[in-house]
Amino acid sequence: MTATDDRARPAERKPAQIVDMSWDPITRIIGNLGIYTKIDFANREVVECRSTSSLFRGYSVFMKGKDPRDAGFITSRICGICGDNHTTCSNYAQQMAYGVKPPPLAEHIVNLGEAAEYMFDHTIFQDNLVFVDFCEAMVKATNPGLLARAERTGAPHAALHGYRTIADVMRAFNPFEGEVYKQALKVSRVTREMFCLMEGRHVHPSTLYPGGVGTMPEPTVFTDYLSRLLKVLDFVKQAVAMNDDVFDFFYEALPGYEEVGRRRILLGCWGAWQNSDVCDYRYETMDEWGRAMFVTPGVVVDGELRTNSLVDINLGMRILLGSSFYEDWAAEQPFVTHDPLGNPVDMRHPWNQTTVPAPQKRDFDGNYSWVMSPRWYDRTSGEHLALDTGGGPLARLWSTALNGLVDTDYVKATGHSVRITLPKSEKLPETTLEWRIPRWSNTIERDRARPYFVAYAAAMAFSFLERAQRLVRGGDVRVFEDFDVPDEAIGCGFHEAVRGVLSHHLVIKDRKIANYHPYPPTPWNASPRDSFGTPGPYEDAVQGQPIFEENGPDDFKGVDIMRTVRSFDPCLPCGVHMYLGKGNTLVATHSPTFGASHG
């Protein structure tokens, strides 16, 4: 069974020339992801793909027995990139379990921190990691004919960003030398400072707790944040224009490039930024406050909104083993049989999961990855859908646009687009950007959505600042609400990590954690073939895609494949951690100056 319909292929096909090729580890990300392919060089296409991870994640094992109030601090260490997203989501789950609602100002502070995180992470990933695959140096090495055309093609938004041709834009992204590459690093520093003003420390927050925050809400905290936000606004506006110019050029110059990384539209978004006017963290009202989020949750199937109910999203989650290195837990006793509304909870739901690692030799005809296979059960079709996150922004924008619920002074969802208004900045006037629902869920549209969502996050930051400052001026500076840990409870938190859907599922018994499972975007995107034979999103997007690189097998760099994998913003720590076995000892040596005298 495949997740994506077969792509159109030329009627005249040459005898296949199949070559096995692998990239392990994938570079420019945390190095635990391997992509193994079979490529038909005669017909210029990928005929098979396997996504592997060589490390085991263990957080769901050692969280058991811990004080649940420590969960946010522990789970932030899952990742050195988006740890704050885990802390936030964990606190959401705890607040449901404890029955506590933080004061409004605390919610605004968390939202401001998460907005800064989206701006920081998306900028550094898009401009310093993803765009290396589209920069002049890479295009020259893989598609010299395309670069020659880029030299002759004017940039449509040259008046806005200042680069005359498409090749000039590509040069600006050359690593370590390009002007935009260097400028993005400065923007990332400023946006990280914005984050630290709200959450204390990056990337493991020191001021986020269940029940509120420890940030001192002095007026200068918000003005310091605002001054930095205004400082990066010109870059945010220009980045959207530069990305649009390059990506539109690829479609025009390489007919058929829309097929690179294309898969069936199966997008999941769990929503972001709680609305303190509505959210009370009660499971019974979760659908109401979920729809009030400032990024609207939703499951999008074949371009249509299947649901925006967080209750439906929660109950539909299934953790399948498929081709992963684990033993089944289906015969064990469930932790949770029914949700607080009385709905039955499946044995393969994260609330009932038990992680039992089973190390073994990698076998592409059997088990080959430490990543499990999360799926969403669609009651309408009876399918276990291999949802992906579109790298985060594509699913967030698509779901928000279709829902048409977000309506603020800065961001409005129209039903077919998202309009983002950014105020006047140092060089550029007030600007309204509009992200429109695209025809495809593919490599370019995942990457294109990213700078638009940076603009979305910047716009919402203005909204959160205004709300926070109104409270402070009115004298309401409460940032914490006390609570008691119950003897028994369950909770679930829904949030958007930078690269997509994030949920934490908590079971408390005897005031301790009885079961805890965080489900970040990586297991959804990087999953191997599941129990039904359905490939995971990385596999599905790469498998069957055409190859446009001009190099042959001997000097093949796989740039089209790498563009596809990186378009999902892969980050493997959320999916895997080291498994040592019994009695093994791991010794790590850090030598900061090792190699300093080389050359």
Side-chain angles (χ1 to χ4, degrees), residues 21 23 39-46 133 137-146 250 254 257 260 545-563:
M21 288 201 156
W23 293 263
I39 300 175
D40 181 354
F41 278 93
N43 294 289
R44 309 296 294 178
E45 69 180 18
V46 182
D133 289 332
M138 182 64 75
V139 174
K140 183 178 181 180
T142 59
N143 294 82
L146 182 68
F250 265 75
L254 295 174
Y257 208 83
V260 172
Q545 78 167 36
I547 296 297
F548 285 84
E549 180 178 340
E550 296 171 24
N551 297 325
D554 293 339
D555 53 359
F556 187 68
K557 291 181 171 53
V559 67
D560 300 306
I561 295 170
M562 294 300 99
R563 285 172 183 155

Side-chain angles (χ1 to χ4, degrees), residues 73 76-77 83-84 87 195 199-208:
F73 296 104
S76 88
R77 270 70 182 177
D84 62 286
T87 300
F195 174 93
E199 298 192 21
R201 181 175 57 188
H202 193 276
V203 63
H204 308 302
S206 56
T207 59
L208 297 193

Side-chain angles (χ1 to χ4, degrees), residues 66-78:
K66 300 289 193 298
D67 189 314
R69 292 169 295 184
D70 290 336
F73 296 104
I74 296 172
T75 58
S76 88
R77 270 70 182 177
I78 288 174

Side-chain angles (χ1 to χ4, degrees), residues 467-477:
R467 293 163 189 256
Q469 289 173 317
R470 277 198 298 269
L471 288 172
V472 173
R473 285 194 294 266
D476 185 356
V477 294

Side-chain angles (χ1 to χ4, degrees), residues 232-263:
V232 302
L233 218 50
D234 282 336
F235 180 88
V236 172
K237 296 171 182 176
Q238 292 170 330
V240 171
M242 286 186 286
N243 279 259
D244 276 342
D245 283 354
V246 171
F247 295 140
D248 289 344
F249 169 77
F250 265 75
Y251 279 145
E252 178 186 354
L254 295 174
Y257 208 83
E258 68 275 2
E259 293 297 321
V260 172
R262 184 182 70 83
R263 71 184 302 254

Side-chain angles (χ1 to χ4, degrees), residues 141-160:
T142 59
N143 294 82
L146 182 68
L147 180 60
R149 180 166 177 169
E151 297 281 10
R152 304 189 302 268
T153 303
H157 295 98
L160 177 58

